[in-house]
């Protein structure tokens, strides 16, 4: 079972998968149709639909997530900071991401290098709780972290 919490970079990778069960917390996935056509199963969690990001949040979303155990979870972030961890501007989205990370056997943050050193208002994960996949790091401060992997852009 794979959980995706809005990550644009992941959407192109998922299009190449032949089979998966995907649980998603957002309504902005044009590629979901492609996945279902390939035989993949896609579930959307319930909850309140946030207008700005089309993310599903709130008590119903949290209740639904609490029923699942994920093998892998992929998450986006607005900021990655040594002291503040992985951050996002919205407390409701942070709660969804935090719970989903706790319910994932392996959690990945997909973020480009511009997110490093940035801090949004709400922390949803400490740096050591996730593996981070990014483009070439511009800030050498993060080179000491073994859970941060750079990929060619």
């Amino acid at each position: 079972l794979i959980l995706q919490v809005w990550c644009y970079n992941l959407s192109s990778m998922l299009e190449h998968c032949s089979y998966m069960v995907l649980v998603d917390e957002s309504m902005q996935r044009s590629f979901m149709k492609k996945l279902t056509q390939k035989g993949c199963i896609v579930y959307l969690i319930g909850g309140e639909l946030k207008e700005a990001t089309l993310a599903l949040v709130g008590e119903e979303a949290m209740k639904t997530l609490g029923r699942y155990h994920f093998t892998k979870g992929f998450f986006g972030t607005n900021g990655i900071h040594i002291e503040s961890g992985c951050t996002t501007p919205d407390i409701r989205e942070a709660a969804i991401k935090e719970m989903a990370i706790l319910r994932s056997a392996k959690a990945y943050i997909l973020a480009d290098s511009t997110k490093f050193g940035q801090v949004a208002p709400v922390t949803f994960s400490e740096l050591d709780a996730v593996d981070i996949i990014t483009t070439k790091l511009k800030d050498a401060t993060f080179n000491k972290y073994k859970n941060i992997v750079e990929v060619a852009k």
Side-chain angles (χ1 to χ4, degrees):
L1 202 56
I2 297 174
L3 170 71
Q4 179 190 1
V5 176
W6 176 237
C7 301
Y8 175 77
N9 297 339
L10 181 61
S11 63
S12 61
M13 290 186 333
L14 292 180
E15 290 178 7
H16 302 290
C17 292
S18 58
Y19 179 78
M20 77 178 73
V21 177
L22 174 72
V23 178
D24 202 357
E25 60 70 62
S26 178
M27 299 296 292
Q28 54 184 338
R29 308 288 189 273
S30 61
F31 70 92
M32 282 188 205
K33 183 175 181 179
K34 293 178 189 175
L35 291 175
T36 58
Q37 290 171 340
K38 293 174 89 173
C40 299
I41 300 167
V42 177
Y43 292 100
L44 294 174
I45 64 172
E48 175 190 344
L49 182 63
K50 227 181 103 182
E51 182 181 0
T53 61
L54 298 179
L56 294 163
V57 297
E59 185 177 333
E60 188 61 33
M62 296 289 284
K63 184 177 174 182
T64 302
L65 274 179
R67 295 182 184 138
Y68 289 97
H69 303 276
F70 304 105
T71 52
K72 293 180 177 76
F74 296 90
F75 306 88
T77 188
N78 294 77
I80 300 171
H81 191 266
I82 292 171
E83 287 88 27
S84 299
C86 299
T87 59
T88 191
D90 187 282
I91 195 163
R92 297 174 303 162
E93 287 189 38
I96 293 289
K97 290 180 181 190
E98 183 175 12
M99 176 183 258
I101 286 170
L102 292 173
R103 302 197 64 78
S104 297
K106 193 74 174 163
Y108 299 91
I109 301 293
L110 303 181
D112 64 56
S113 61
T114 65
K115 305 298 185 195
F116 288 82
Q118 302 297 312
V119 179
V122 187
T123 297
F124 63 87
S125 178
E126 299 303 322
L127 287 184
D128 62 357
V130 294
D131 284 338
I132 300 170
I133 302 170
T134 188
T135 54
K136 182 76 176 149
L137 284 172
K138 297 173 185 169
D139 185 347
T141 310
F142 292 94
N143 288 341
K144 66 181 178 181
Y145 292 90
K146 303 289 186 223
N147 61 324
I148 297 176
V149 177
E150 296 173 275
V151 294
K153 188 171 180 179

